[in-house]
Amino acid sequence: IKPGRKTFLEIKSRKGRLSINATPWARIKIGRRYSVETPVQLPLYEGRYDVIVECSNGWTKKQTALVKADEARSIAINCEN
């Protein structure tokens, strides 16, 4: 990078996978984008995500997931306890 010149950079975001399962089942919210029922496997860009779990019994739990590029992460939630 030199002063007075334009420099173009290509930035590529990479994806990983997040698998979420709940016993017996739950609705999952990740940001504004996803609102789905478990079990689910989501392709997500690498980064930290707040996962809101709305259990079938009315309980709500929050968990943080760290997604890394080209890796699979799993979350298992017990909604019975």
Side-chain angles (χ1 to χ4, degrees), residues 11-49:
I11 299 173
K12 291 185 179 182
S13 295
R14 295 172 25 193
K15 288 187 176 183
R17 289 176 310 286
L18 181 61
S19 296
I20 306 169
N21 197 6
T23 304
W25 64 271
R27 177 162 286 286
I28 304 299
K29 292 182 181 179
I30 301 176
R32 291 186 219 163
R33 184 152 183 209
Y34 291 103
S35 180
V36 295
E37 288 185 4
T38 60
V40 65
Q41 186 176 53
L42 303 170
L44 296 171
Y45 287 106
E46 56 189 336
R48 186 174 308 274
Y49 293 89

Side-chain angles (χ1 to χ4, degrees), residues 17-81:
R17 289 176 310 286
L18 181 61
S19 296
I20 306 169
N21 197 6
T23 304
W25 64 271
R27 177 162 286 286
I28 304 299
K29 292 182 181 179
I30 301 176
R32 291 186 219 163
R33 184 152 183 209
Y34 291 103
S35 180
V36 295
E37 288 185 4
T38 60
V40 65
Q41 186 176 53
L42 303 170
L44 296 171
Y45 287 106
E46 56 189 336
R48 186 174 308 274
Y49 293 89
D50 289 327
V51 179
I52 306 297
V53 181
E54 296 174 346
C55 295
S56 58
N57 60 9
W59 294 349
T60 299
K61 300 180 180 188
K62 181 178 176 181
Q63 190 164 345
T64 301
L66 180 62
V67 176
K68 294 186 178 181
D70 304 319
E71 291 186 14
R73 299 284 177 171
S74 295
I75 295 177
I77 296 111
N78 184 348
C79 287
E80 298 176 329
N81 295 331

